[in-house]
Amino acid sequence: MLSKKQVLFVLDEIEKMFPDAHCELRHSNPFELMIAVLLSAQCTDALVNKVTEKLFKKYKTPEDYLSVPLEELEQDIRSIGLYRNKAKNIQKLSYMLIHEYGGVIPKNRDELIKFPGVGRKTANVIVSVAFDVPAIAVDTHVERVSKRLGICRWKDSVLQVEETLMKKIPKERWSKAHHQLIFFGRYHCKAQSPQCEICPLLEICREGQKRMRRRGVVDAKK
DNA sequence: AACTCGGGGCA
DNA sequence: TGCCCAGAGTT
């Protein structure tokens, strides 16, 4: 596994590639962010942004989401997959927010996870982006990149990946590191086509070197 | 750990 | 056409 120093090298190299890594979900307050992150599950955020552009004009408050029939909210987010679950969760979440939290979104993970549709990953994004609380949300990109590079072990669970990242990265860099790993995973070290040939991290990347060796064998056969 | 929800985007 | 996408809840 990579040492702390090597992990910081990774982050510094990604900083050169993506100096403006940030949350790309459209939102102008914590409540909108909460809705947007919930909608983004198993879906590209470009699509989420397209939907929320209209959605946030129609619905401003938790009360707004409860003022329409479930079927109407479903139609408003229909172009996003899993829309029946998500519409139901948004209304339930809105009800809880009003009746149990006085309309104020809690700032700690343990409270946020109690909301339907909000898991550990979503909660981490909310606290880190909306409230500037240090956190590392492990999604598919962060997990894949961490395992390929050798920051953690291949068979690590999501929770183990998160713990390892927190251990190897200084707390003040957690939130930024999260977005850096996201950008690196989404735009460079893609699930289907990692661009190892032009990757500045190849020299310390376990999976990248393995891939290049495999490719060398293939090329030699030609 | 495996399964389900799911329309849109892309090869 | 087939496969995947800033996951979470249930079994």
Side-chain angles (χ1 to χ4, degrees):
Chain A
M1 295 210 293
L2 298 188
S3 66
K4 282 186 183 179
K5 187 184 265 185
Q6 288 174 312
V7 172
L8 293 187
F9 170 77
V10 166
L11 293 180
D12 288 339
E13 287 302 315
I14 296 178
E15 168 72 19
K16 295 176 192 168
M17 304 170 71
F18 306 103
D20 62 337
H22 62 285
C23 177
E24 294 190 305
L25 292 171
R26 109 187 340 268
H27 68 281
S28 55
N29 58 58
F31 182 57
E32 286 189 356
L33 176 68
M34 193 172 184
I35 301 293
V37 184
L38 187 149
L39 290 176
S40 75
Q42 290 301 100
C43 168
T44 61
D45 49 347
L47 184 55
V48 173
N49 286 340
K50 199 186 296 180
V51 169
T52 55
E53 183 171 7
K54 295 177 185 172
L55 196 70
F56 291 162
K57 286 176 183 166
K58 179 172 177 181
Y59 305 93
K60 303 286 186 188
T61 66
E63 287 82 357
D64 293 339
Y65 286 102
L66 290 171
S67 70
V68 301
L70 179 59
E71 292 73 21
E72 184 174 339
L73 182 55
E74 285 181 353
Q75 289 310 305
D76 288 335
I77 65 171
R78 185 176 41 79
S79 56
I80 290 181
L82 315 179
Y83 61 91
R84 277 188 282 264
N85 286 338
K86 289 173 179 176
K88 200 186 305 172
N89 285 338
I90 288 174
Q91 288 201 332
K92 198 170 175 185
L93 170 157
S94 296
Y95 186 88
M96 284 177 61
L97 206 48
I98 295 170
H99 296 280
E100 296 178 33
Y101 292 87
V104 181
I105 298 178
K107 296 187 179 181
N108 67 74
R109 278 175 290 274
D110 295 334
E111 289 298 319
L112 285 169
I113 289 177
K114 293 178 182 173
F115 289 91
V118 178
R120 188 175 184 81
K121 180 258 168 183
T122 300
N124 273 330
V125 173
I126 294 172
V127 297
S128 89
V129 175
F131 303 124
D132 212 26
V133 174
I136 297 179
V138 178
D139 54 43
T140 55
H141 288 313
V142 175
E143 182 177 359
R144 181 183 69 254
V145 166
S146 298
K147 291 183 176 181
R148 278 182 180 168
L149 284 168
I151 296 176
C152 64
R153 303 179 205 281
W154 269 110
K155 52 183 177 181
D156 279 352
S157 65
V158 173
L159 209 59
Q160 288 173 315
V161 176
E162 183 180 328
E163 286 173 356
T164 302
L165 287 170
M166 291 194 296
K167 202 179 301 178
K168 295 190 176 180
I169 298 171
K171 196 170 184 175
E172 61 272 17
R173 292 181 69 168
W174 285 357
S175 295
K176 183 170 185 183
H178 158 65
H179 289 114
Q180 290 181 305
L181 293 173
I182 293 285
F183 267 62
F184 181 67
R186 177 192 292 180
Y187 299 116
H188 185 92
C189 191
K190 303 175 191 176
Q192 307 306 323
S193 59
Q195 302 171 52
C196 304
E197 311 78 20
I198 57 170
C199 187
L201 298 173
L202 182 59
E203 57 181 282
I204 65 165
C205 179
R206 179 181 52 186
E207 183 66 12
Q209 292 181 7
K210 197 185 294 180
R211 280 172 181 271
M212 295 306 274
R213 273 201 300 277
R214 275 208 300 268
R215 175 186 243 218
V217 171
V218 172
D219 289 342
K221 280 183 179 177
K222 279 183 181 175

